[in-house]
Amino acid sequence: REPVDEGCGDAAAAVGSSFSLVACYPITGRTHQIRAHLEWRGHPLVADPNYNPRGQVRRHFGWCPRLFLHCRRMRLLDLEGQPLELEAPLSGDLRAALEACGVRPHEASEDLGSLASWEKMA
């Protein structure tokens, strides 16, 4: 995806940050796996207090109130061994954080958890 430029509120603009919206497909489903690997590659998650320098994460909290990590879809086996798929829409606080970065959902999109449903504002 194209990086989101410094429009993520005054705090992000002050540090000259840019951000990317990324889709990850972990094998184990463990959130720590995503957090640790992205930090290892030099791209920690927004508002992640464990993997961002303290001052940087405080600036993130100015426009993103919590760790920016969302599980859109999960597939697993239920107690009887049958496949079960669960989906969750993007929460309002994370949606607002994207909009603060100048990214908004496509007009016709109802699937706000999908990367394809978001576009950079002009």
Side-chain angles (χ1 to χ4, degrees):
R1 282 298 204 202
E2 179 180 326
V4 176
D5 295 322
E6 303 139 21
C8 299
D10 295 335
V15 296
S17 299
S18 63
F19 304 91
S20 295
L21 191 56
V22 179
C24 298
Y25 303 94
I27 302 300
T28 65
R30 297 176 187 233
T31 59
H32 184 76
Q33 177 187 16
I34 295 168
R35 295 167 71 187
H37 283 104
L38 286 174
E39 191 278 333
W40 178 76
R41 299 292 296 169
H43 304 285
L45 295 175
V46 166
D48 188 340
N50 292 331
Y51 292 103
N52 279 297
R54 183 170 287 158
Q56 182 176 340
V57 80
R58 282 189 191 129
R59 287 187 291 273
H60 289 173
F61 286 141
W63 55 273
C64 184
R66 66 176 176 93
L67 173 68
F68 199 112
L69 185 61
H70 173 69
C71 179
R72 176 176 170 247
R73 181 181 304 139
M74 183 184 309
R75 294 182 188 133
L76 53 108
L77 298 178
D78 68 15
L79 296 175
E80 295 159 359
Q82 298 301 310
L84 176 65
E85 184 171 312
L86 305 167
E87 291 196 34
L90 191 64
S91 64
D93 59 346
L94 296 183
R95 180 180 175 152
L98 285 176
E99 290 172 351
C101 291
V103 179
R104 66 170 179 234
H106 288 290
E107 298 274 335
S109 180
E110 293 184 21
D111 179 13
L112 299 179
S114 169
L115 292 180
S117 68
W118 292 84
E119 64 186 355
K120 191 171 181 177
M121 291 181 195

